[in-house]
Amino acid sequence: MAEHIPFITGDDAARLVSRIYPDSEFVRVPLERAERLIPKVPASSKLWIDPCVDGMDNTETRSERPWFDFVRAFPNFEKVREAKFQSKPVPATVSVFVAAIMEMAARLKPAWITVPQLPFSKGAERNKFNRELATAAGQWKSRSSFKGCLILPLVFTHQAQVNGKTERNPKLEQARRCYDASGADGFWVVDKSLSDDSGSRTLRNTRFPGLVSLHEELNECIPSAIRIAGPYWALNLVLWARGLVDYPAIGVGSGYQYYLSGGHASVASARVALPSLRRRAGVGRLRPWLDKAIAGLAPPHVFRAELVQIRTQLTTLNQTERAREQVATFYKSWFDSIASQPPAGRSLALFQDLSAAYALGRSLPELDEDGTARRPESVAESLMTSCL
């Protein structure tokens, strides 16, 4: 079975996973939609059920979303969502809320359940509440018949929490305390503010080194057999190839940046994979660039044939569903090419893979994209130095 973990959020993603990622060892499904989605995911994949409590980051902005109607049905929700309560949580009240969530998740017979947690805030105001949530989850497991694993979510919300060691240290200590309190078997880390395919210098010089250091330090203070990172576009693959995590969480043709549960889903324009460049580009503005790039490449060039094929399919790929399928198909082949290498050689293989994309991109005209993403090689360039 493959080590990637698709994050399934809806029917379209479930169908793509069944068709393109049927060998996934685990799939992550939100509790809110689990009964509808489980029949559509690969039968051979083990279930990771996430109660999606991270949406409590700001319940006021989610009060008209289906997520809110779902989570408010749990006992004590109205009490535990209050900032005043969270600053001085009552263990018995928290325990009833958490137990009801965990029981609902356990009835679906998953292999893993996410420990209820709120995302990290700027300060320490949520620390006590998150520790109570973790403690309640651990107590529930000790008295329940659930034999699966608990996964502690570590959801960062701003780069300032991760970039510097001084800022990371209290987050690491909080993570360790919640891990111990919950009796978790693994942890999942994601920085929801990270869009790792923008190609910016800040990614290469600051954000990627900060996240790599975070994972190195987490592995020192929380020895765990289950370590997950993402979903991102490729930093998850970098962390996995380096052996810093065991599983890269992945999007399914889209969703390569994490969004907190219950938020308003953005309607993104169709984006298509440019496989040899290891990146995506917006379909709507791609045609002139394809014509120029194709004209500048000799017919024997492998990348020319790739671009000609995309150019031929461009009208179809302008449909979001078809674009998602094309991206998901590429991503699967990319992952498999690195996974085929011995674990000790994966980081070098990914470095060489991205280096080839960088060298190719340097020879091509600029894309009609925003900011530094205009340069075709920018995504590969920002990632490749983090591989080693």
Side-chain angles (χ1 to χ4, degrees), residues 110-121:
W112 298 347
I113 301 176
T114 304
V115 175
Q117 292 281 280
L118 271 63
F120 284 108
S121 58

Side-chain angles (χ1 to χ4, degrees), residues 62 93 108 112 115 122 154 204 219 252 267 278 322:
R62 293 164 168 79
T93 304
L108 299 168
W112 298 347
V115 175
K122 290 183 179 180
L154 304 172
R204 179 173 72 251
N219 291 341
V252 187
V267 181
R278 301 308 194 236
R322 294 300 296 272

Side-chain angles (χ1 to χ4, degrees), residues 69-101:
D69 292 334
F70 171 77
V71 75
R72 76 187 304 183
F74 292 110
N76 295 340
F77 169 72
E78 293 296 343
K79 175 62 68 176
V80 301
R81 78 178 179 122
E82 295 173 358
K84 184 178 180 180
F85 177 88
Q86 292 174 12
S87 66
K88 296 181 178 180
V90 178
T93 304
V94 175
S95 180
V96 170
F97 173 70
V98 170
I101 291 173

Side-chain angles (χ1 to χ4, degrees), residues 351-364:
F351 172 78
Q352 293 171 334
D353 179 274
L354 291 166
S355 296
Y358 166 75
L360 173 62
R362 292 276 293 174
S363 68
L364 298 170

Side-chain angles (χ1 to χ4, degrees), residues 244-356:
L244 295 174
V245 301
D246 306 291
Y247 298 94
I250 62 173
V252 187
S254 63
Y256 296 101
Q257 181 177 355
Y258 184 70
Y259 292 92
L260 299 182
S261 305
H264 290 272
S266 59
V267 181
S269 57
R271 294 178 68 76
V272 65
L274 301 174
S276 292
L277 294 174
R278 301 308 194 236
R279 62 169 294 167
R280 295 176 298 164
V283 176
R285 298 183 287 181
L286 196 55
R287 191 184 300 273
W289 179 83
L290 285 170
D291 291 339
K292 188 183 299 185
I294 290 168
L297 295 169
H301 203 294
V302 174
F303 187 55
R304 187 181 192 279
E306 179 182 297
L307 294 184
V308 168
Q309 182 180 27
I310 293 172
R311 176 69 170 79
T312 302
Q313 299 173 346
L314 207 55
T315 300
T316 301
L317 291 172
N318 204 36
Q319 302 170 26
T320 302
E321 289 185 12
R322 294 300 296 272
R324 285 185 65 181
E325 181 177 1
Q326 186 260 5
V327 173
T329 301
F330 154 69
Y331 203 91
K332 174 60 174 168
S333 66
W334 188 19
F335 175 90
D336 286 349
S337 70
I338 305 303
S340 67
Q341 303 296 316
R346 287 174 182 166
S347 60
L348 178 58
L350 185 55
F351 172 78
Q352 293 171 334
D353 179 274
L354 291 166
S355 296

Side-chain angles (χ1 to χ4, degrees), residues 113-335:
I113 301 176
T114 304
V115 175
Q117 292 281 280
L118 271 63
F120 284 108
S121 58
K122 290 183 179 180
E125 59 271 14
R126 288 179 177 169
N127 286 4
K128 187 178 294 186
F129 182 55
N130 270 339
R131 290 197 295 271
E132 287 297 343
L133 289 170
T135 299
Q139 292 172 342
W140 169 83
K141 186 180 180 184
S142 67
R143 65 176 182 264
S144 75
S145 59
F146 178 66
K147 303 302 182 186
C149 296
L150 298 187
I151 305 297
L152 180 72
L154 304 172
V155 181
F156 294 86
T157 56
H158 195 276
Q159 61 174 305
Q161 299 166 339
V162 175
N163 287 347
K165 184 167 176 55
T166 300
E167 292 74 27
R168 290 193 300 268
N169 283 342
K171 306 302 182 186
L172 291 166
E173 175 60 18
Q174 169 72 357
R176 185 193 62 77
R177 294 181 69 178
C178 288
Y179 191 88
D180 292 344
S182 65
D185 305 276
F187 57 80
W188 157 49
V189 182
V190 68
D191 180 351
K192 82 172 192 70
S193 71
L194 182 67
S195 175
D196 66 328
D197 61 349
S198 66
S200 74
R201 291 183 179 179
T202 301
L203 294 178
R204 179 173 72 251
N205 297 333
T206 305
R207 302 202 65 181
F208 291 167
L211 279 161
V212 168
S213 294
L214 170 69
H215 281 271
E216 291 173 336
E217 293 157 6
L218 272 171
N219 291 341
E220 290 178 5
C221 71
I222 307 178
S224 176
I226 304 173
R227 304 167 300 167
I228 309 154
Y232 306 123
W233 172 250
L235 186 65
N236 49 347
L237 303 185
V238 170
L239 294 166
W240 164 75
R242 291 184 59 166
L244 295 174
V245 301
D246 306 291
Y247 298 94
I250 62 173
V252 187
S254 63
Y256 296 101
Q257 181 177 355
Y258 184 70
Y259 292 92
L260 299 182
S261 305
H264 290 272
S266 59
V267 181
S269 57
R271 294 178 68 76
V272 65
L274 301 174
S276 292
L277 294 174
R278 301 308 194 236
R279 62 169 294 167
R280 295 176 298 164
V283 176
R285 298 183 287 181
L286 196 55
R287 191 184 300 273
W289 179 83
L290 285 170
D291 291 339
K292 188 183 299 185
I294 290 168
L297 295 169
H301 203 294
V302 174
F303 187 55
R304 187 181 192 279
E306 179 182 297
L307 294 184
V308 168
Q309 182 180 27
I310 293 172
R311 176 69 170 79
T312 302
Q313 299 173 346
L314 207 55
T315 300
T316 301
L317 291 172
N318 204 36
Q319 302 170 26
T320 302
E321 289 185 12
R322 294 300 296 272
R324 285 185 65 181
E325 181 177 1
Q326 186 260 5
V327 173
T329 301
F330 154 69
Y331 203 91
K332 174 60 174 168
S333 66
W334 188 19
F335 175 90

